[in-house]
Amino acid sequence: MYNGIINVYKEKGFTSHDVVAKLRGILKMKKIGHTGTLDPDAEGVLPICVGKATKLCEFLLEKSKTYRAVVLLGIVTDTQDVTGTVLEEHEINVSRDKIVQVIESFVGGYDQIPPMYSALKVNGKKLYEYARQGIEVERKSRFVKLDKIDILDISDDLMRITIDVHCSKGTYIRTLCHDIGEKLGCGACMESLLRTQVEQYSLDEALKLSDIEELVQLGKMDNHITKIEDILASYPKVTIKKQAQKLLLNGNKFDNHSVFPQGIEEDVRVYDVDGTFIALYTYDKKKKEYKPLKMF
């Protein structure tokens, strides 16, 4: 039984759900969840929560991510990437300086309209299900934060631009590519996408499914799983006092005097008297007590 997070390299052609299904077979366990969908044609970092760490999936969904994308100018498709049907083709009558200026204008963030080909639900139905029926559904725009966009390369014919995007959760890179093209006046779609980072999980340490299978067979998989308490290392550590141990183990509230060190008025990692990590607790400043957030 494994508990923690595996930094998986999702290969092209697999859905995030496929990766979870294959890992259930490789690890021989059911309790597995991913931390944010990657399109089938996208590749890269996909942190996978296993065992008790599945309780952390929502925490990692909130984290910022980094992507490398190739923007293809002059072509507009229904899916906003090259897998879709071409709707428009335009000549690229823009300068290199204009391309840089437009891309830089998205830094900081903007109100983005989610694409029709996405798993976002409207009236209980996924948008791509409407799209496949040829139905266009009104979508509300939502603010997405783009902390940084690095332009790595602009091809000589100005058709392809390679960018690194550091962004908040909920950002559709396909839509960003489309919107860059719209602002340039020549249209664009996404040619390729590689997720290079999710929080502390980077591309150079990501394992392919074949790597994981080999490590399991060699009995070395434990060395490649981030422990739950290490994932939550940014939260201060407190240890429960003996008289309050039962409250902790039952997932009950307890006051500030029940732990040491005292005086930490924020979310904390709580350990039992034996030094075993038990739970993540939040602090209620009004009631001056700790309440459970997640029990592990």
Side-chain angles (χ1 to χ4, degrees):
M1 178 72 171
Y2 301 102
N3 290 298
I5 290 186
I6 303 171
N7 180 3
V8 177
Y9 184 100
K10 191 196 85 65
E11 296 168 78
K12 207 168 184 175
F14 291 114
T15 65
S16 300
H17 182 75
D18 290 338
V19 173
V20 169
K22 286 180 183 294
L23 275 176
R24 283 186 178 134
I26 294 167
L27 302 176
K28 294 181 172 49
M29 54 189 294
K30 289 182 180 177
K31 218 171 179 185
I32 298 178
H34 64 75
T35 57
T37 309
L38 267 178
D39 289 342
D41 281 325
E43 297 178 80
V45 174
L46 181 67
I48 297 285
C49 299
V50 298
K52 292 178 182 178
T54 49
K55 294 177 182 180
L56 288 174
C57 285
E58 62 192 83
F59 284 85
L60 283 171
L61 280 169
E62 300 292 323
K63 302 299 182 183
S64 58
K65 300 171 178 72
T66 305
Y67 296 89
R68 180 160 298 170
V70 175
V71 186
L72 185 64
L73 295 186
I75 295 171
V76 178
T77 73
D78 58 351
T79 59
Q80 301 181 344
D81 63 17
V82 291
T83 67
T85 303
V86 175
L87 302 176
E88 300 169 27
E89 290 190 58
H90 302 278
E91 279 188 30
I92 303 162
N93 295 315
V94 291
S95 67
R96 191 173 288 261
D97 287 345
K98 182 67 177 173
I99 290 170
V100 172
Q101 182 194 330
V102 164
I103 289 173
E104 287 179 349
S105 73
F106 285 91
V107 176
Y110 74 111
D111 291 319
Q112 188 181 75
I113 297 171
M116 276 303 299
Y117 280 88
S118 65
L120 208 65
K121 285 187 177 180
V122 173
N123 299 324
K125 196 172 175 181
K126 290 174 181 173
L127 282 173
Y128 67 74
E129 292 174 328
Y130 289 109
R132 285 170 183 169
Q133 294 172 338
I135 302 167
E136 178 91 16
V137 177
E138 191 177 342
R139 289 100 66 207
K140 288 181 181 176
S141 67
R142 54 190 190 178
F143 185 78
V144 294
K145 194 170 172 235
L146 305 175
D147 295 314
K148 192 179 176 189
I149 303 176
D150 295 316
I151 301 169
L152 304 180
D153 184 62
I154 300 173
S155 63
D156 292 339
D157 59 5
L158 306 183
M159 198 171 180
R160 286 175 176 81
I161 309 146
T162 305
I163 55 175
D164 272 356
V165 185
H166 307 256
C167 59
S168 65
K169 72 158 194 164
T171 305
Y172 287 94
I173 306 298
R174 280 182 288 136
T175 303
L176 172 63
C177 296
H178 170 88
D179 295 344
I180 287 168
E182 202 166 66
K183 206 165 182 179
L184 283 168
C186 62
C189 66
M190 186 179 78
E191 186 171 59
S192 65
L193 183 67
L194 176 70
R195 185 151 71 191
T196 56
Q197 187 118 14
V198 177
E199 198 62 5
Q200 73 263 47
Y201 300 101
S202 61
L203 197 64
D204 55 356
E205 294 172 351
L207 300 168
K208 291 183 178 179
L209 290 171
S210 56
D211 299 327
I212 295 168
E213 197 162 13
E214 189 178 335
L215 286 164
V216 168
Q217 287 167 0
L218 294 170
K220 294 180 179 179
M221 192 60 221
D222 279 321
N223 301 331
H224 297 269
I225 296 178
T226 312
K227 291 178 184 175
I228 295 167
E229 58 188 297
D230 293 338
I231 297 156
L232 301 171
S234 60
Y235 294 90
K237 174 185 175 179
V238 297
T239 302
I240 201 79
K241 291 181 180 177
K242 195 172 182 180
Q243 65 267 28
Q245 171 107 321
K246 205 169 182 180
L247 291 172
L248 169 64
L249 298 180
N250 289 330
N252 294 326
K253 302 172 187 176
F254 46 80
D255 63 29
N256 207 335
H257 301 291
S258 301
V259 296
F260 62 88
Q262 290 179 14
I264 300 175
E265 299 183 353
E266 57 184 293
D267 294 353
V268 291
R269 286 176 291 142
V270 189
Y271 289 71
D272 69 10
V273 291
D274 298 317
T276 303
F277 173 62
I278 302 296
L280 188 65
Y281 267 66
T282 190
Y283 188 73
D284 187 327
K285 288 184 180 180
K286 284 184 181 177
K287 294 182 179 179
K288 295 187 176 179
E289 64 183 10
Y290 292 103
K291 298 188 293 187
L293 265 179
K294 291 286 176 187
M295 299 294 296
F296 298 100

